[in-house]
Amino acid sequence: MKKLILLLALGSLSVTGFTQWTAKSNAPDCRYDGCGFSVNNMIYYGLGITCTGGQDQSFYKYDPATDTWDTITAFPGPTRRGAFGMTVGSKAYVGMGIAQNGNALNDIWEYDPVANTWTQKNNFPGTGRGFSVTGEVSGKGYLGTGLAYMQFFNDLWEYVPQTDTWTFKPAFSGGYRFQASAFSVNGAFYVLCGTDDNGAMYNDCRKYDPV
């Protein structure tokens, strides 16, 4: 009987004693295919397609400490879906994506969270696209893969904010990919999953080491 009680207690701990999800304040509106980033312990989200089917330039800031949302200065570029959001240092970068008319965009905008202002930077030198992957490693931004109209990509680019320049890097070794996921950890950039130009879905994970 004691063994049974102990096993039940351990089973209860395995279910309830570890990480859990907690509901927080709802975002100001519903939307998808938007983009987000995090700077100075704040979370930002905007663009994409709203729940009414339209698109706008709205952007919002979430403060985890107070569980509150605020509206920030609207994104100054055209409306779009599938844009990228990337944090490098103390600034964030938002750009590219697919315009309402289906054209791929290549504009890049820098967001300063202190001044709450957007500044347009040099256009992306490669082909504009949406649904790409991004990340930061050692103060540099990395962007790659994605798709435009009837075009798919497996390239990778490095962005240096200080010089506002992009440099082509070794292509993603997994082939054409869009709607993949990415993250940076311990000085490396990881890309995983996604879909290719034939509609195949993947569960691979690949590491890019800038050094």
Side-chain angles (χ1 to χ4, degrees):
M1 185 63 179
K2 290 181 179 179
K3 290 183 178 179
L4 177 60
I5 293 173
L6 177 60
L7 287 173
L8 289 173
L10 290 174
S12 176
L13 284 173
S14 67
V15 174
T16 63
F18 296 98
T19 303
Q20 300 180 20
W21 290 92
T22 303
K24 311 300 290 184
S25 295
N26 289 340
D29 61 19
C30 55
R31 58 184 64 219
Y32 64 97
D33 282 354
C35 68
F37 53 85
S38 177
V39 183
N40 298 333
N41 298 318
M42 299 290 179
I43 299 168
Y44 297 81
Y45 181 74
L47 301 180
I49 302 174
T50 69
C51 51
T52 60
Q55 298 184 29
D56 60 28
Q57 291 102 331
S58 297
F59 242 95
Y60 304 101
K61 177 178 73 173
Y62 175 72
D63 185 344
T66 60
D67 189 25
T68 55
W69 290 87
D70 287 312
T71 302
I72 68 169
T73 301
F75 179 74
T79 61
R80 66 198 67 198
R81 60 187 177 90
F84 76 82
M86 173 176 67
T87 301
V88 183
S90 61
K91 304 288 180 62
Y93 299 85
V94 172
M96 298 206 284
I98 309 299
Q100 290 195 50
N101 61 6
N103 290 337
L105 302 169
N106 67 345
D107 56 333
I108 308 292
W109 298 80
E110 178 186 82
Y111 178 70
D112 183 336
V114 176
N116 187 26
T117 56
W118 296 91
T119 302
Q120 187 166 13
K121 311 302 286 186
N122 289 330
N123 287 344
F124 177 66
T127 304
R129 82 278 305 268
F131 303 101
S132 52
V133 294
T134 59
E136 176 194 10
V137 179
S138 301
K140 298 178 181 178
Y142 291 88
L143 180 147
T145 69
L147 83 161
Y149 180 71
M150 300 300 291
Q151 287 183 284
F152 301 85
F153 305 97
N154 69 334
D155 52 354
L156 179 68
W157 296 77
E158 179 185 83
Y159 179 68
V160 179
Q162 292 81 1
T163 57
D164 191 20
T165 55
W166 294 86
T167 303
F168 188 72
K169 294 295 179 178
F172 174 64
S173 60
Y176 296 129
R177 200 71 59 92
F178 68 98
Q179 290 182 324
S181 298
F183 58 89
S184 302
V185 63
N186 293 335
F189 180 53
Y190 294 80
V191 177
L192 66 157
C193 301
T195 305
D196 69 10
D197 53 325
N198 293 312
M201 301 175 66
Y202 291 86
N203 66 344
D204 57 338
C205 180
R206 296 168 187 266
K207 170 186 174 182
Y208 174 68
D209 186 340
V211 177

